[in-house]
Amino acid sequence: MEDNNWDLSAVVRSHNINKPNDVIVPNSGLKKSNDQVIITDQNSNQEMYLHPIQPNQFSQQIILPPLPTMIMCVSTTSTTPQESIYLQQLEKSDDQELTDDKRAWRNYGQKSIKGSPFPRNYFKCSTLGSCKATKIIENSPKNENYFLVSYSDEHNHDPLTYCRSLALYNNSSKRKLSKSINIVPKALNLKASSSSSKRAKSFKVDASSISPFAPTLEIERNNEMVDVVVENKDDIEEEENTYDNIFMDFEELHELLLPSNGNEIDKRN
DNA sequence: GAAATTTGACCTCCT
DNA sequence: TAGGAGGTCAAATTT
């Protein structure tokens, strides 16, 4: 990563936040009021607002889809391909589903990473042959309940293309249209410390549940769009430190967005 | 039989 | 320049 200026911007699907009650997260400076989420910078006393945006505004955002929860952090550097990190919390139930990102991915490799007990999985966009978008998923070395998902390059098509291609795929194959698609490598289901060939039960998401129009949120400060939240610590030299920063803010956001329904993320050690 | 996934080998980059 | 680490390829395997 050439640039450690990881900024966090935007937001969340209404799924988790459309609760009318005001919520104040203790000691966080975060408040939810009606459709808006307010974040108060305790240093500058500035307020920032989260509010729904349209899909066509979708760029450089943090995404918090329905549980299991996912956050995307996007580098704001303009000279390098857009990259992002998803932090994804997975619930440990047998019938869990994994939220999708509206894209079809093909796993093209898996690699064990030094210092991490978990393998890293590499994906390419399988929607269009010309699409250069890639995605890397790995368990967080800090918290096995989280996945770190990084993206590089941009899709040269929109998510709708994915839906159409999915339909064509199902029409041209003998598979049932309702067949679920696996969007997470089976290996990620394992908490194994090696790249064992053992196959595990996979996370699946029903293709019929895919909606390209899920509302999202973005962060606004004083009526001006800003990139916020993940602060850039001076002289961050290790990726692990970056993860720490992201996790700190993720916890705050998660508590903010899931304040009253009893959903709690696992506490880190 | 086709598509997706796994996994070892190979390639590239960095120190 | 060598070695290590990470990224990609592609054949084998699984679904």
Side-chain angles (χ1 to χ4, degrees), chain A residues 135-225:
Chain A
K135 174 181 180 179
I136 301 173
I137 300 179
E138 65 180 300
N139 268 90
S140 166
K142 286 292 184 182
N143 187 331
E144 65 181 21
N145 292 325
Y146 292 86
F147 285 150
L148 305 176
V149 184
S150 61
Y151 287 78
S152 61
D153 289 323
E154 297 181 5
H155 293 275
N156 56 8
H157 55 89
D158 61 32
L160 286 176
T161 305
Y162 163 69
C163 295
R164 284 194 289 271
S165 64
L166 178 68
L168 288 173
Y169 162 78
N170 283 305
N171 284 334
S172 61
S173 72
K174 291 183 172 60
R175 300 188 180 199
K176 291 188 296 185
L177 187 63
S178 60
K179 177 178 175 59
S180 298
I181 56 174
N182 183 15
I183 63 173
V184 168
K186 292 182 173 69
L188 285 179
N189 290 294
L190 298 173
K191 293 189 168 33
S193 58
S194 67
S195 56
S196 166
S197 63
K198 283 188 298 185
R199 289 183 178 270
K201 179 180 180 180
S202 61
F203 298 123
K204 292 187 176 181
V205 55
D206 193 320
S208 64
S209 69
I210 295 173
S211 168
F213 300 111
T216 58
L217 293 177
E218 63 187 9
I219 295 174
E220 184 178 16
R221 172 186 286 170
N222 296 336
N223 298 321
E224 179 181 6
M225 296 311 303

Side-chain angles (χ1 to χ4, degrees), chain A residues 7 20 46 52 54 92 132 142 199 206 211 219 223 231 235 247-248 263:
Chain A
D7 289 342
Q46 282 187 294
Q54 298 306 310
K92 296 176 179 176
K132 297 292 193 293
K142 286 292 184 182
R199 289 183 178 270
D206 193 320
S211 168
I219 295 174
N223 298 321
E231 61 183 311
D235 301 322
F247 278 127
M248 288 294 291
N263 289 318

Side-chain angles (χ1 to χ4, degrees):
Chain A
M1 200 71 55
E2 290 184 359
D3 192 338
N4 282 321
N5 289 317
W6 290 96
D7 289 342
L8 209 61
S9 47
V11 135
V12 192
R13 296 184 188 174
S14 59
H15 212 88
N16 289 335
I17 65 169
N18 278 340
K19 296 182 179 62
N21 301 330
D22 286 13
V23 175
I24 298 177
V25 182
N27 304 321
S28 69
L30 304 178
K31 177 183 179 181
K32 180 174 179 293
S33 178
N34 295 324
D35 289 337
Q36 283 194 327
V37 173
I38 304 171
I39 301 174
T40 302
D41 186 325
Q42 296 176 327
N43 292 325
S44 64
N45 242 3
Q46 282 187 294
E47 287 190 339
M48 293 168 284
Y49 302 91
L50 294 173
H51 63 86
I53 60 173
Q54 298 306 310
N56 59 7
Q57 294 176 280
F58 186 84
S59 64
Q60 298 199 353
Q61 299 174 351
I62 299 163
I63 301 175
L64 292 180
L67 282 174
T69 304
M70 180 184 297
I71 288 182
M72 178 171 70
C73 308
V74 181
S75 170
T76 56
T77 57
S78 57
T79 56
T80 60
Q82 183 176 344
E83 298 178 321
S84 61
I85 292 177
Y86 275 89
L87 305 179
Q88 183 163 331
Q89 178 190 12
L90 297 174
E91 294 191 333
K92 296 176 179 176
S93 59
D94 289 339
D95 59 347
Q96 62 189 312
E97 289 186 354
L98 187 68
T99 52
D100 63 279
D101 55 6
K102 312 301 178 294
R103 307 288 181 176
W105 300 94
R106 176 178 59 83
N107 187 323
Y108 67 89
Q110 184 182 69
K111 190 79 174 179
S112 59
I113 302 302
K114 182 185 179 184
S116 174
F118 308 107
R120 178 176 292 174
N121 287 267
Y122 300 87
F123 296 84
K124 286 180 178 177
C125 178
S126 64
T127 301
L128 295 176
S130 59
C131 183
K132 297 292 193 293
T134 61
K135 174 181 180 179
I136 301 173
I137 300 179
E138 65 180 300
N139 268 90
S140 166
K142 286 292 184 182
N143 187 331
E144 65 181 21
N145 292 325
Y146 292 86
F147 285 150
L148 305 176
V149 184
S150 61
Y151 287 78
S152 61
D153 289 323
E154 297 181 5
H155 293 275
N156 56 8
H157 55 89
D158 61 32
L160 286 176
T161 305
Y162 163 69
C163 295
R164 284 194 289 271
S165 64
L166 178 68
L168 288 173
Y169 162 78
N170 283 305
N171 284 334
S172 61
S173 72
K174 291 183 172 60
R175 300 188 180 199
K176 291 188 296 185
L177 187 63
S178 60
K179 177 178 175 59
S180 298
I181 56 174
N182 183 15
I183 63 173
V184 168
K186 292 182 173 69
L188 285 179
N189 290 294
L190 298 173
K191 293 189 168 33
S193 58
S194 67
S195 56
S196 166
S197 63
K198 283 188 298 185
R199 289 183 178 270
K201 179 180 180 180
S202 61
F203 298 123
K204 292 187 176 181
V205 55
D206 193 320
S208 64
S209 69
I210 295 173
S211 168
F213 300 111
T216 58
L217 293 177
E218 63 187 9
I219 295 174
E220 184 178 16
R221 172 186 286 170
N222 296 336
N223 298 321
E224 179 181 6
M225 296 311 303
V226 295
D227 295 322
V228 296
V229 183
V230 172
E231 61 183 311
N232 178 41
K233 302 289 187 185
D234 291 339
D235 301 322
I236 293 177
E237 295 180 355
E238 296 182 1
E239 194 173 1
E240 184 175 332
N241 290 339
T242 304
Y243 291 163
D244 283 345
N245 296 337
I246 293 169
F247 278 127
M248 288 294 291
D249 295 306
F250 172 73
E251 280 198 357
E252 285 191 352
L253 278 171
H254 197 286
E255 286 188 23
L256 170 69
L257 297 168
L258 300 169
S260 60
N261 60 2
N263 289 318
E264 293 183 0
I265 62 175
D266 295 342
K267 298 301 180 185
R268 286 168 291 156
N269 297 327

